[in-house]
Amino acid sequence: MKEQIKSYLNRYVHFNEEEIHTFCDFLSEKKFDKKEFLLKEGQVCHHYFFISSGLIRQFYIDEKGNEKIIQFAIENWWTTNIDSFTNQVPSALNIQALEKTTAYIISKKSLENLFISLPKTERLFRIITEKTLIAHQRRNYFFMKKKSKERYQHLMEHIPEFAQRVPQYMLASYLEITPEYLSEIRKKE
Amino acid sequence: MKEQIKSYLNRYVHFNEEEIHTFCDFLSEKKFDKKEFLLKEGQVCHHYFFISSGLIRQFYIDEKGNEKIIQFAIENWWTTNIDSFTNQVPSALNIQALEKTTAYIISKKSLENLFISLPKTERLFRIITEKTLIAHQRRNYFFMKKKSKERYQHLMEHIPEFAQRVPQYMLASYLEITPEYLSEIRKKE
């Protein structure tokens, strides 16, 4: 755990060896099988998850019963349902492992204690939250503004791993296009 | 400025008189006329804006040339284009005053200096960013999951000021419904 966390943390804020050790003490490791849920709609989200290995998706079920995927997350990404986690209210969305996944998890209470023990983690989580907000905003902007082909190209340019690791029908759901149209775009590449 | 900022800050983090004074020293006041733009598409967003009085909207122009409103902000709300501000890249969206508006503004460089001078502002901005992310996520969730009438009711329940202060066609744009349908919903209330 320590080496991965150290290299991740130092991208954003400098932590010395002792601080990294303290940081790791607040995390626990949890393994999820492929298709296992990290969080189900209706449950309160008790953890912030750092994906050590694997791949997860966040999705809603819309009023017609369709899955709407809003996020994929891979190694070295943090994920949670920030509303459910922060406000300790039932989650409106699901988080599910798409591959065998190992996550380092921290509870809300532990995170609050971590902020007190290591105040510079406030900076880290301020930056992580900004990055997540920017990703949400870009996704909304792209989906409002860009044609479906451009959305696909943007995704491929920024996170090409997804195309290899995520089933085609899920990529289509994320891009809000039909699987047939996605397959057509990919054939023309 | 000082009293409003003091009462705002102490909702989230305790700042003593001297710290509030320091915080205020980093802000400048700027006034905007009704319809004036705080930020235009294509410009780099140089400021984070704290709305002292007034009302603003954030909107995109979609590929068909239609305005898509994604946020309103009123007194005691922070607003910026977080992507453009953080990464100093051209903005994909517009921010415009809908009423005569007074904002306290801080530049990216000043905000970085503020984080150094008063490290507890990291906590404040971590919380503000979380709240903004939650608002984005809830809006997405509601728009994917709920019928247009429920979206309207939810807005009225949480931020009733908007209905009084925002022109009906803009409320409709925000709710992603037609002005005619909004008018029908409101008649039935």
Side-chain angles (χ1 to χ4, degrees), chain B:
Chain B
M1 179 194 287
K2 207 177 154 191
E3 280 314 303
Q4 186 177 15
I5 291 291
K6 180 178 169 180
S7 111
Y8 174 81
L9 292 182
N10 285 329
R11 285 192 213 165
Y12 301 114
V13 184
H14 179 72
F15 286 84
N16 66 32
E17 286 296 320
E18 199 189 324
E19 289 165 337
I20 287 160
H21 192 79
T22 305
F23 194 100
C24 290
D25 276 349
F26 279 87
L27 302 175
S28 327
E29 186 180 290
K30 196 162 177 192
K31 289 179 187 294
F32 298 91
D33 285 332
K34 187 174 173 174
K35 296 197 180 168
E36 193 176 340
F37 281 78
L38 287 69
L39 175 72
K40 278 193 175 175
E41 184 176 337
Q43 293 175 340
V44 172
C45 183
H46 292 299
H47 296 101
Y48 224 120
F49 303 89
F50 177 84
I51 309 297
S52 164
S53 66
L55 168 67
I56 63 92
R57 64 166 178 159
Q58 286 203 9
F59 68 100
Y60 298 113
I61 308 288
D62 74 7
E63 50 175 355
K64 290 177 186 152
N66 299 317
E67 290 179 359
K68 297 281 183 185
I69 299 174
I70 55 155
Q71 192 206 27
F72 297 109
I74 52 176
E75 293 80 22
N76 296 315
W77 290 34
W78 289 90
T79 191
T80 190
N81 176 344
I82 188 77
D83 189 1
S84 177
F85 178 78
T86 305
N87 299 314
Q88 293 288 287
V89 293
S91 172
L93 55 76
N94 303 278
I95 307 180
Q96 185 188 26
L98 296 181
E99 297 174 355
K100 217 166 142 50
T101 293
T102 300
Y104 302 139
I105 68 174
I106 185 164
S107 70
K108 186 173 157 63
K109 196 161 178 206
S110 292
L111 185 58
E112 280 301 333
N113 289 334
L114 177 60
F115 288 141
I116 295 162
S117 301
L118 280 180
K120 65 170 78 166
T121 52
E122 293 278 8
R123 182 175 178 83
L124 176 74
F125 277 84
R126 197 254 305 159
I127 294 170
I128 291 167
T129 313
E130 273 171 15
K131 286 184 173 290
T132 310
L133 178 59
I134 290 168
H136 271 258
Q137 203 179 61
R138 283 190 185 170
R139 182 172 186 273
N140 284 353
Y141 159 68
F142 263 87
F143 282 45
M144 280 191 184
K145 203 146 175 151
K146 299 289 178 187
K147 299 209 172 89
S148 34
K149 194 175 167 181
E150 289 170 302
R151 291 183 211 158
Y152 170 74
Q153 285 165 340
H154 183 259
L155 183 72
M156 288 307 94
E157 209 174 291
H158 288 83
I159 324 170
E161 301 93 309
F162 286 174
Q164 279 90 54
R165 293 169 63 178
V166 172
Q168 182 134 326
Y169 78 94
M170 287 193 189
L171 266 192
S173 163
Y174 178 77
L175 292 167
E176 294 182 8
I177 58 180
T178 64
E180 293 73 23
Y181 187 61
L182 176 59
S183 154
E184 221 173 275
I185 296 174
R186 295 182 85 168
K187 266 187 219 145
K188 285 183 193 153
E189 279 184 304

Side-chain angles (χ1 to χ4, degrees), chain A residues 41 60-63 68 81 83 87 92 112 115 122-123 126 137-138 140-141 144-145 147, chain B residues 41 60-63 81 83 87 92 112 115 122-123 126 137-138 140-141 144-145 147:
Chain A
E41 184 177 336
Y60 296 113
I61 308 288
D62 75 6
E63 51 175 355
K68 298 280 183 186
N81 176 344
D83 189 2
N87 300 314
E112 280 301 332
F115 289 141
E122 292 279 8
R123 182 173 179 83
R126 196 254 305 156
Q137 203 178 60
R138 284 191 185 170
N140 284 354
Y141 159 67
M144 280 192 184
K145 203 146 176 151
K147 300 209 172 90
Chain B
E41 184 176 337
Y60 298 113
I61 308 288
D62 74 7
E63 50 175 355
N81 176 344
D83 189 1
N87 299 314
E112 280 301 333
F115 288 141
E122 293 278 8
R123 182 175 178 83
R126 197 254 305 159
Q137 203 179 61
R138 283 190 185 170
N140 284 353
Y141 159 68
M144 280 191 184
K145 203 146 175 151
K147 299 209 172 89

